[in-house]
Every structure is written in C-alpha cells, then in structure tokens.
C-alpha cells in the first residue's frame, strides 16, 4: 500500500500535477514517521528520504513547505530535542555527552555543541550540570558556606 502511494505521488510529481492537500498531508506524516524511525542514522538526508519514498528531492521540499522549516532543519531540531531529553534524563547520566550526540545521528561533537547552543542558548554540558541535580561535576562548587 505504501509503495503504491509513493509511486502514485512520484508520478504526480513527475507530471507536474498538484496533489490534494490530503495527499500532501499524508505524505508529510509518512516522511515525519520515517525521519523519526531513522533519526539515529547519521546518513539520514533528503537524498535518502527521496530514495525511501520514491519522490524527488524537489517534491519533498514542496511537501514540507507548509511546515515553515526545511527537512534538514526539521531533522536537526528533532535530533537536538532528543539529545536534550537524554541530557536531562537521570537514566542517561552514565552516557557521555558525545555518546548521546552520536546516538542521535550527529557525527561531530563540535558541530553538535554549536548547534545545541544555538538552539537552546547554552552548551550541552551546561544542560546536564545546571539542570540535572543527580550529576554534580564539581561538588565543592555547589556547597554553600554557612
């Protein structure tokens, strides 16, 4: 069923015909689902989405246009949010920041840190140390003098 739908949408794209709003919404939901299922894949890209859906990259951009964010930015936003959730999760306190970033598809820790800071206003290490009371990197720093 999904193959038939994707083939139909690819033919519509090739013909230049505009699909219905419902067809666009359905495809956009499927794209989001695919992204969510493959978010940890560092090779996830528009080209890979196009191959998986049978649509052209141009058509995928058109389908995503109503989101007011590009597909690449959507992927980045999801990855950053998942990393943030793990940084705040006590069950993930044993994982390093780099391990968390790599587990969500980042392949460069410096790039991850820059993107994280741009998105949330502070670096990932600050998220863990300031908002996660179960991890105290320097206990003396947090002791109050009476």
């Amino acid at each position: 069923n999904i193959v038939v739908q994707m083939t139909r949408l690819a033919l519509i794209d090739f013909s230049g015909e505009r699909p219905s709003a419902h067809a666009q919404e359905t495809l956009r939901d499927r794209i989001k689902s695919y992204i969510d299922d493959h978010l940890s894949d560092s090779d996830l890209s528009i080209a890979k989405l196009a191959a998986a859906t049978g649509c052209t990259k141009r058509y995928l951009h058109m389908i995503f246009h109503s989101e007011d964010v590009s597909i690449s930015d959507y992927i980045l936003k999801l990855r950053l949010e998942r990393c943030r959730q793990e940084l705040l999760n006590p069950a993930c306190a044993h994982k390093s920041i780099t391990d968390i970033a790599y587990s969500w598809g980042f392949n460069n820790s410096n790039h991850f840190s820059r993107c994280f800071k741009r998105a949330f206003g502070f670096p990932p290490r600050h998220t863990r140390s300031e908002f996660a009371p179960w991890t105290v990197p320097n206990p003396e720093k947090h002791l109050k003098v009476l």
Side-chain angles (χ1 to χ4, degrees):
N1 187 17
I2 191 167
V3 174
V4 172
Q5 175 73 4
M6 296 300 183
T7 303
R8 186 178 73 73
L9 291 169
L11 290 172
I12 289 170
D13 180 38
F14 183 73
S15 71
E17 190 180 319
R18 292 293 250 195
S20 69
H22 177 70
Q24 287 182 355
E25 187 177 317
T26 300
L27 179 58
R28 189 171 41 254
D29 289 344
R30 288 188 177 148
I31 293 167
K32 286 180 177 183
S33 179
Y34 183 90
I35 289 169
D36 196 50
D37 291 344
H38 296 85
L39 202 55
S40 62
D41 178 1
S42 63
D43 292 329
L44 182 61
S45 65
I46 296 168
K48 198 165 191 176
L49 281 169
T53 59
C55 298
T56 65
K57 291 188 275 185
R58 184 179 131 268
Y59 187 70
L60 291 177
H61 284 294
M62 184 191 80
I63 292 295
F64 236 75
H65 183 70
S66 66
E67 291 291 311
D68 292 328
V69 64
S70 71
I71 295 173
S72 297
D73 287 343
Y74 179 80
I75 292 168
L76 177 62
K77 180 181 171 185
L78 277 183
R79 284 180 170 157
L80 289 169
E81 186 52 43
R82 297 286 168 78
C83 289
R84 183 177 169 276
Q85 288 170 358
E86 285 198 15
L87 288 169
L88 294 171
N89 185 346
C92 297
H94 67 283
K95 290 176 146 184
S96 73
I97 292 171
T98 300
D99 287 343
I100 290 171
Y102 280 43
S103 73
W104 287 109
F106 288 95
N107 53 20
N108 180 301
S109 58
N110 289 330
H111 172 69
F112 164 68
S113 291
R114 281 191 307 274
C115 291
F116 191 96
K117 186 173 182 175
R118 192 174 330 127
F120 299 111
F122 39 81
R125 64 179 155 62
H126 186 76
T127 300
R128 182 168 267 176
S129 66
E130 292 297 320
F131 299 110
W134 62 89
T135 60
V136 182
N138 183 356
E140 291 80 32
K141 177 182 165 188
H142 296 281
L143 292 175
K144 291 184 179 180
V145 178
L146 298 177

